[in-house]
Every structure is written in C-alpha cells, then in structure tokens.
Amino acid sequence: MPAEGDEVQDPLVIAEREFGSRLLVGTGKYDSFETMRDAVLASRCELVTVAVRRIDLDAGGEDITSFLPVNVLLLPNTSGAETAEEAIRVARLARAGGLPDWIKLEVIPDARYLLPDPVETLKAAAALVEDGFTVLPYVLPDPVLAAKLEEVGCATVMPLASPIGSGRGLKLRDSIRIVIEQANVPVVVDAGLGSPSHAAEAMEMGADAVLVNTAIARARDPVAMAHAFRLAVEAGREAFLAGVMGEGDAEASSPPVGVIPGA
Amino acid sequence: MPAEGDEVQDPLVIAEREFGSRLLVGTGKYDSFETMRDAVLASRCELVTVAVRRIDLDAGGEDITSFLPVNVLLLPNTSGAETAEEAIRVARLARAGGLPDWIKLEVIPDARYLLPDPVETLKAAAALVEDGFTVLPYVLPDPVLAAKLEEVGCATVMPLASPIGSGRGLKLRDSIRIVIEQANVPVVVDAGLGSPSHAAEAMEMGADAVLVNTAIARARDPVAMAHAFRLAVEAGREAFLAGVMGEGDAEASSPPVGVIPGA
Amino acid sequence: MPAEGDEVQDPLVIAEREFGSRLLVGTGKYDSFETMRDAVLASRCELVTVAVRRIDLDAGGEDITSFLPVNVLLLPNTSGAETAEEAIRVARLARAGGLPDWIKLEVIPDARYLLPDPVETLKAAAALVEDGFTVLPYVLPDPVLAAKLEEVGCATVMPLASPIGSGRGLKLRDSIRIVIEQANVPVVVDAGLGSPSHAAEAMEMGADAVLVNTAIARARDPVAMAHAFRLAVEAGREAFLAGVMGEGDAEASSPPVGVIPGA
Amino acid sequence: MPAEGDEVQDPLVIAEREFGSRLLVGTGKYDSFETMRDAVLASRCELVTVAVRRIDLDAGGEDITSFLPVNVLLLPNTSGAETAEEAIRVARLARAGGLPDWIKLEVIPDARYLLPDPVETLKAAAALVEDGFTVLPYVLPDPVLAAKLEEVGCATVMPLASPIGSGRGLKLRDSIRIVIEQANVPVVVDAGLGSPSHAAEAMEMGADAVLVNTAIARARDPVAMAHAFRLAVEAGREAFLAGVMGEGDAEASSPPVGVIPGA
Amino acid sequence: MNAVCIVNGKDHSLEAGETVERLLARLGLEGGYALVERNGEPVERSEYREVELRDGDRIIVARPVAGG
Amino acid sequence: MNAVCIVNGKDHSLEAGETVERLLARLGLEGGYALVERNGEPVERSEYREVELRDGDRIIVARPVAGG
Amino acid sequence: MNAVCIVNGKDHSLEAGETVERLLARLGLEGGYALVERNGEPVERSEYREVELRDGDRIIVARPVAGG
Amino acid sequence: MNAVCIVNGKDHSLEAGETVERLLARLGLEGGYALVERNGEPVERSEYREVELRDGDRIIVARPVAGG
C-alpha cells in the first residue's frame, strides 16, 4: 500500500481495499527466500500469495513472512484442498492463526492438470463469504460460474489463462474476454502466464490484475523478470485505458500524395 | 541519444551508433503535430521515421522537424517508391537536402496490402550501401532474403509482423523467429504491431527493437499509448535478458507435501 | 443405423447403441425443411437434434419429423431451459410424447453468449439419468465438470469448441484436449465448428464425434457443405487412427546424398 | 489423369493439363517403395514429386518409377540445388533423360530451415520457362514474389505453410491468404501440412491444391493417412465452393420462441 | 356453460369427455409427434386415448421443431 | 503416566497445564505465524495463551509457506 | 521574355541569376528542411547558394513530412 | 592403354566405341529412367544410342528417387 497522503492513480480496488499495483505475485518455486523477497520488491506488488502447510517439526526452516515487505498483504491460498470442506478448513485455520481473512480459494481434485472443481469451489465460496472471508476464487474462465461466484459475494474472480505453471499464456482468451465483459467484480487472470507479453495482453483485454508465480520464480533471473512483469502490467493497463486500436486491414502510415517519383 | 557521460545500459547499436531506446516511432497519422510531439516524448524514442513528399506550394503548412526533440535521429523512409530506382532517388534527395544518410528502405508496389518487393529492395539496398547510406530495409520476414540484405551491407533488417497499419500483431512469428536466430545485424520488427503486448512479445523473442506508428497515432490517447509501448518494450527486452521460461505442462506453485487435509 | 448384417467398422457407440457416422447434425436455421432433409441425407448422419416448442395453433406448419430419414435417431434438446428444473420438464415432455429417451441437455441462462450453466447442468443430468434418460450434456470444456457428469451417468460429454453459431472453431482446444484425454465416455465436440477443417481437427485430437448445425445450415450450399463435413469427419477420424505426426523442426523430404550439383 | 471419356468435375488445371485430384504427394521418407505405392494409390493423386540423385553404382537399388501408377505424372524437383544455376542443371538433366518437362523448382541455400531463396528462384524460373519447362516454384508466401513468378510464366506458385517436414500447419496463413487472393495461376500449398485438417483449411481458404509428403510418409499407417488426406482435400474444396460461413458472434441454433418453460 | 381448458395460452371449449386424443384431432394434430403437458405434468402418449380433460386444465401442446 | 497429544502425527508428552502458547514455545515456534488446529477445529491466536491441551488431542501446527 | 522553370509542376518565372537559395526564399521556405531536385538530380544543400536555375529546369521541392 | 572416363566419380574403362546406351547396359541400368550428364551437359535420351564416350569424359548417371 502506498504511503499515507500519497494518492494512487487508478488503483486496483478489491473489497474496498486499494492496491497501488495490479500485479499479484506468488511466492512458490523460488530457489531461496532471499531471491523471492528481491523479486517481490522488484515487482512492487502489494498482494502476495502463500500456501499453508504443516510444519515439519524435525526440519525447522525459516519463516517466509519475515522475508516479505511489511506493506504487502498476505493472501493465503487453499492449495492442497480437493473438496469444499477441505478448503474451508484451511481458510479457517489460516484466519484463526492471525493471517488475513482474505483467501485465495483453490479446490483442485486433479493432480495432473491442476484444474479447479467448479461445483466445490462455488460451495466453498458461499460458505466462506458467509463466514466473513474476502474470497478470491480460482476458476476456469466459465462466465456462468463467474456470475454465480459474484452472486454469492466473492470479491474477485480469478480465471486461469492456461494450466498452472505451464507458461502457455492466454490459451482460453475467448472465454476470459467474456468473463471480463460480464463481471462486476475485479477479474484477476491467474495461472499460465509465461511472459510479460502474456500479462500485458491480459491487461489490454481489460483484466483488472494478473497473478504470476512460476514465470518469475523460474526465470533465469527472477528479480529482473519480476521487474519486467511490473512494467508489462503497467503497459497493458495504460494501453487498455488509452484505447487499443482494433485489428484492421493494411493502411499506409505515410501519406499517399506528393510522392517524389510521381513527379 | 543520452546526454554525455550518461552511459546507457544495454543500448541498441545500429551502424555503431548507440540508442538508449529500443522503440522506434513513426510520425504518420496523428491528428496534430503537437500530439505527435508529445507522443514521441512520452515514448522516449531516439529514432523516428519521416516520409519525404513534395511541398504543396499553395497550402504551406508547418515543418514537422520543428516538432521533434533535438536528441532524436530522423530516419527518412522511401515510402511512395515502387521500384529500386525510385527508392534510390528519394534517399539521395533526402540526404542532399540535409537529412541524415540513414534511410528506411521501402519498395512497395502493392497498394492493397502494402507488402514490399524483395527483389527491388535488395537491389536498392546494395546500391544505397554502395553510395554510403546506412540502410534499414523493410521486408517480409524472409530469412534467406534477410541474409542477402545483411551480405550487401544493410545495417538492420526490418521484418514486418503483419501488414502495415493492420494492428494484427505477430502473425508471421514463425518466420520472424528464424530471421532473429540467423541475423548478425539488429532485427527491428516493423509494421502490424497493434498493442504493447505485441511489442513485448517481439522483444521477448529476441528482436533488437520494434517500430510502431499506427498503434500509437490511432489510439484514443496517443500520448498514454506511446508511454505504454515504451514500458512494454522495456519489459520485453528485460524478459528476454532474464530468460523467459519455456512452455510446459501444468506444475503446482504450492508444495505437494504437508497439506492440511492430508492429516 | 446400417442395415442388418452390414457391420460398421469403427462405429460410434453411445449408450451401447452403434452409429455408422461420427457426425451429428442439428436441424436449425435452414431455409426450408427440404434443404434440411437433403443436407441430413448428404451428411449420412444417424443422430440429429431437434428442439421442442409449443405449437403455434394459428400458424399450423409442417412436421419436421416427416422430413427426416427413418434410420436417423432423433435427439431432442432442452434448449430454452435456463434451470435444471426447466430442462427436466422439457425432457420428460419429449419422452412422454413418444420422442426417444435420449436428451441433449442444455441449460443456458445467458442469452448473449449462450454458454451453459455448469451447476444446473450437473443437477439436471443426475436427475435425468436417475429417471432413465440417456443424457448428452452440453458444457464448457471443463475437465473436472466432465468427470462429474460421467460419474452421475451421462452417456457422453459435449464440450463446446467456441460459442454456438459463432463458427470460430476450436478456440478452447487446450481444454478440449484434456477433456478427451480424461474421458471414459464418448466426447462429442459441439458448437462453434465453422468449417470442415475445424471438424477434422477435433477428430484428429481424438474426439469421438462432432455436432454441427449453423456451419451447414448457413453455408451458401448447405447440401454440399453437409457432404464436405461428412468427408472431413471421416478424414479426421481416419487420421487419428493412422497416427498424426507430431510437430517438429524442418526436415527435408528429399535425400541429402547424391545431389547433382555436389558432383 | 482420368480415363478417356470420363469427365472430371472441378478438375485442377495446371498448364492446361487437367488433374482429377487436388492432392499432390511427395515420395520421400517412406519405409519402403511398396508402402509408398499403396499410399499413392490410396491418395488418388495424379501428380507425384520425385527427386533426382546420382545412382550409387555399388549399391544398386530399385527404380522408384516402377512402383508408381501409370496414370500419375512425375514431377521431378530440383532439391539439392542452392543456386539458380544448379537448379537449372538438374531440371535439364531430368528432361533430357526422359522425365517430364514439368519441374518443381526448389532453390534452398539454408540447410537448417530449408527455406527457399527468392532471388535465385525467380532467376531460375525465368530461365526454365524460357527453356520450355512448366515451372512450379516452391517459395515463401510472399505475394509480391508470387506476382513476379507469375509474370515470368510460372504455371503455379507453391507457397509453404510452414517449414518442410515440420508438420506445423498454416503458420503463415495470413500471407498465404493474400497470395491466393492475388494469384492468377493455381496456388499449391506445399510443405508443413501435418494433418488432414491443415490440408482442409488450406483448401477452404481457396488454395487450388496441396502437396503433402512427410505427414503421410511418417504416419503410423501411411496408407490410411493418405486416404484421410484425400478425403480432407475433397472436403476442403467442396466447402470452399459451398461457401464457408464467416466467423461471428454467438447465435442460437434453436428458435427463441415457443419455449416450454416460458409457459 | 361449457367446460373450458387453456391450450397454449388460449381458451378451448371442451366437448363432453374430450380426451387428449380428441383434443389433438380437433386441433388438426393427429399425425406426427404432438407432445402434451397437462397442468405441468407430461402426458404419456399411450394414455392420450384415455386421459380426459377437465375444466380449468392448463394444457401445453408442443412438438419437435428445427433446432441445434 | 503423562498425558500425550499428537502433534503433526507424532506423540508429544504434555506438561501439566500446557497451553498452545507453551506448546509452540517448546517447539521453538514463538515468533512468526504458527497456525494451530485442535481436533479439527482452528484455535484462535488470541486464545493460544489460555487453551490447554488435553490427553489425546490431535494437534496440527501449520504455517504459511511458499506457494502460488 | 523571362526565363521560366517548373517547380512541383507549376511555372515559376526566374529572376536573373536566381539560385536555389533565392528560390526557396521566394517560396517562403527559408527555414527547415527543403529538399531540392533539379532535372532528376538532387541538389546538395551546401550548393543551394551557388546553383543557379535555368530556363526550362524541372525543380522538385520536397520536405520531410509525417510518415511511418 | 584403354580410354577411361569418370562415372559418378569413379574410373570406368571404356570399350571401343562405347555409347551411352552401352555404358548403361554395362552398369546394369537398361530399364527405367537413367539420366545422363556428360561434362556438365545433359544427354538427350534419344541420343544415348549414338553418343560415344571419350577418354576423360566426366559422366554423371542419375535417376529419379524418393523425394518431396
């Protein structure tokens, strides 16, 4: 969040909270917490996801939160949950223990393609909203499902661009376009964005934000890549507001009259 | 060009001249020279194209060069030329009258799709290089032709992404990828880039620079769009250097072990 | 269905019934029933969809079924239904009145993009299977939903390629590929196939069948187009069985040795 | 060629010669001449390419032409040639020795991507036409180059869909579309077609014919795949003539009025 | 006064003992597929001959039409 | 014999009156986010100091980790 | 009778000894980039002051304009 | 000493008056398409019977092979 008195232009607003950045970053898959921290800083993101896992009491290990900037809001996810019930359990555990009552809702029964369960996700979303959570559900870009999630009170919808970690980009762009057109809550494109141009394209289409993890963490230079994504998200957003030209036929950039050879 | 003493990191180098920006901008199609100037400034580009046309002695009109920042190198194009001979004539006229001896070589016999003539372009390129010009030829992304242009001494190759002014993006990406892989001179992707994500994608593929005109001039807000392209080009370049992840299969971002429900 | 004793090779089997053709055809949008009949005959399809509507008692009008070949199985759809309850009502009405107990289940709350409701479709599917119907549900290519539909006993899943009537082809091919890979019931790609090449591509990916309506009915020559789709579906199926080569790098078709100039 | 008196509908006409099939087949890369022969027969093609190579006098080996049906026209290619001069030499050798005076002109200096040389191809084409050959040049889909080849008297243009043997399909479809639109000679899409749906798409776009080699020869079952390509080419051609619907927005296939639930 | 039912939204005066089959005949719908719903419940084709309509019944008569 | 609870699947001998807070201290988890579930129900952080563990309790101790 | 040259397709009466520089001045084109071709050959800017126009010369005066 | 020509890079001792046709026969290539180039120039099939090979001739014998 920006410093007091420093008004952000065109902020991302989720559940009435303002964010100065439209890039959300996941913390998974980095070689070290130090690199993760530097990438988060370079990205200027203000909302980062974390998973919730049992502590391995023999192994110890460091606390990830100590590597995260203080101005960043932690967004726990329900990864690992295969049913609504399991997702609710994780969310409640996270909140009880002092994490924010914001939850990235993932209900994923399929270990191969990591695609979410629409029915269980909807069920969990309704229960979590009822229980006071700010719910950001991860879903296929299914416009009808998105409307139902909105209806039960979700704060965003988070349609996937392509399977998690695949880096394949906006393979489902036709559906995402419809989700964006019909949504009344912010649309955060999540999963599958493999490069800054993918993120820029999502923003140009009118997405309100994007969430990126693997593409940054698995770059040769994650910190530079985080910065590149930051620029691309800003570029895409600015282009969306500036009005992207439509596709058309060929049209000369130089004037047809007064050409020299035509003398 | 950056101020003295201010060393640019990762400059674009064409014909031994350094440029601080990898975005080239065309000056056509703006509503006014004022908007064009503001867009050029917002883009931070250092190389801008102009056409050469007879003056309409009755109409008068302002001098475009007075609207261009002094640190910007003018790159006259040979638009209007349908043969090598005509293109050479335009280039020589421009240079004699005091414009730079850099020339964006366009030989375009086809008014419908504005596609260049490979044979005449090669002929003109050889003659112009011989005559002392720094030649930047506009071509289809034809890897064999690109090698020939390089061989006769062109300073860059400028393959088109899709037809001029169409905004359709990297329709010919497969060919452009090969041109980039095989080139020993800078590759400037020109024509058809319709949005910042297109520019970022070209840069991520390893293009050395991009040239944009219509997508900026015809945006609802050209100045903001110019800025968006600047960010996108930086993002794409930075991503290229940081090593974009490859496309792959789905892979979880959160760890598979220690999940709560698995208790 | 083929004549007695005439064994079909590689039949499509849905709910233990064999079909000699892997092309399903919709009867909507034709200029006349005569053209529709001729197109159905040209397509050699054996399963055609019909809608169920109130009779306009003042208008009269002909009976579509009298135009359909006797060897064709009628597949009523539940178009017009926006909820599970409405869809069930239509299905039961159709069956009571003598139509087959096969039902193409459509639950579509959204008039703009005509996309199906995953939750209501699943609910209706479970009820209809329970009630003895052979259920062919129309859905987004959502692999997890498809698995649930299979689990409640659906005879197929019918994922859409792109929005109904749009002719845009396999825009959601990445998801359809996963649905096909994971399905244990026939996958019928439905909606959005605009040309025979789209149908062939779906079959090459391993779809068991395709359903086509608008692309035939709205062709300049619907009967010829029906025939073209028939050929394309056969081509795609045969190619799938023959093993389509994968994509790769360039590789010469002519031998590298013994070239004449190399003398 | 069809038997005397058997009139082909919608024949492919090249250089005033009629062919009953719009599928050309290459003979390279088969496991055996027997399989090649069976695939050629299954394809029903009437024009097949062969390469010309020195005989290995120690190795002996069979004569490919004895495996080819008599009604098939042999089309020697100039593969191996890297310059116009070499290509002309191969063509003249083939003709002198009794092969047809038809020549598939390939001038390919680049062993990595096997892309043709536009300048040398044009030069060789002009010389070979002058020398009495019927010339079918293999080129990038460069519309201006295609017009020049037509101008010097080529019988067709043969633009590549994607690199030879890659199976990647119509990666350059935007350029091929323009070549087709502007051509006054038959356009034969050559190289890179990996599956029947690719061939059907090319034909739907208005290509006059396609040439396929690797996708048939390297299928698991080349004979079945040859048949599948035959069907797909027929499907694509028939669809082109029947008028493919354009892409549009969603539009229901079932009527909006009289729906049951609306009671 | 005659008994009246509503067929596809319009009043229909019933004959005495009018069955579904008779209704369809009066509407000119003997052949083909006529699908009938009475008061929200489908009527089985095999019962068209027996089922008698009553005063106030809401009837829907439908059929298969062109659709995708 | 001591009371024993199960923490993340392993036996843990309880001290007399051992609270959640004490448990975490004994595990070396004083700082940071330690999330605690007892017998399937989450324990509020504000109650770590009061809630006493009992013999047979099934305890899960979790925390935020790297994830996407 | 005066000497006349053709400038961008129109007649232009020459003053005695009119140079390219003088021509541009008469056309109001002193500042900026005026590019000059005489009888199909470009005139070097450094020679505008010396080169005199002759009767019948075909002159093109051009300049950089907006273009892509 | 015999006359020798080079066929596909290897020495070939010529018989007296050996024609192209005879050469092909000696190589076992009577049937099918044998394409012949002599000293860089193609030999017409119709002249195989007449054209005699000379000492030092560079001969290429080729044929159609599988290709795309």
Side-chain angles (χ1 to χ4, degrees), chain B residues 237-255:
Chain B
R237 177 66 182 178
E238 193 166 14
F240 171 70
L241 296 174
V244 174
M245 69 179 283
E247 293 187 11
D249 289 330
E251 188 192 282
S253 301
S254 299

Side-chain angles (χ1 to χ4, degrees), chain H residues 12-64:
Chain H
H12 174 88
S13 295
L14 288 172
E15 300 176 350
E18 181 164 336
T19 61
V20 168
E21 187 177 73
R22 175 65 187 148
L23 168 69
L24 296 177
R26 289 181 65 197
L27 295 173
L29 299 170
E30 297 94 342
Y33 288 95
L35 317 173
V36 180
E37 198 184 81
R38 186 169 67 150
N39 301 324
E41 286 299 318
V43 182
E44 293 293 323
R45 189 179 202 74
S46 57
E47 298 172 5
Y48 286 2
R49 184 177 297 235
E50 287 108 59
V51 173
E52 293 187 11
L53 304 177
R54 300 195 193 149
D55 190 43
D57 274 354
R58 286 166 297 106
I59 305 295
I60 292 177
V61 183
R63 67 174 170 196

Side-chain angles (χ1 to χ4, degrees), chain A residues 29 53-54 77 79 164 166 195-197 204 218 220-221 227 235 238 241-242 248 250-252 254-255 257-260 263, chain B residues 29 53-54 79 164 166 195-197 204 218 220-221 227-228 235 238 241-242 248 250-252 254-255 257-260 263:
Chain A
K29 296 179 166 182
R53 292 288 182 277
R54 293 150 187 264
N77 68 35
S79 62
I164 293 181
S166 71
S195 69
S197 62
E204 288 166 4
R218 288 289 164 84
R220 203 185 320 115
D221 180 345
H227 186 256
E238 193 165 16
L241 296 175
E251 189 192 281
S254 300
V257 299
V259 298
I260 305 306
Chain B
K29 297 179 164 183
R53 291 290 182 275
R54 293 149 187 264
S79 62
I164 293 180
S166 71
S195 69
S197 62
E204 287 165 6
R218 287 290 162 82
R220 204 187 315 116
D221 180 345
H227 186 257
E238 193 166 14
L241 296 174
E251 188 192 282
S254 299
V257 298
V259 299
I260 305 306

Side-chain angles (χ1 to χ4, degrees), chain D residues 185-208:
Chain D
V185 292
V187 175
V188 183
V189 174
D190 183 11
L193 300 177
S195 69
S197 62
H198 297 165
E201 184 186 353
M203 298 304 294
E204 287 165 5
M205 284 167 58
D208 295 277

Side-chain angles (χ1 to χ4, degrees), chain A residues 50-52 64-65 73-77 90-103 133, chain F residues 33-35 45 48 62-65:
Chain A
V50 288
V52 172
I64 190 172
T65 62
L73 181 66
L74 290 186
L75 178 61
N77 68 35
V90 174
R92 293 180 64 214
L93 174 60
R95 180 177 62 180
L99 287 169
D101 57 3
W102 290 43
I103 193 81
F133 282 90
Chain F
Y33 288 95
L35 316 173
R45 188 179 201 75
Y48 287 1
R63 67 175 169 195
V65 301

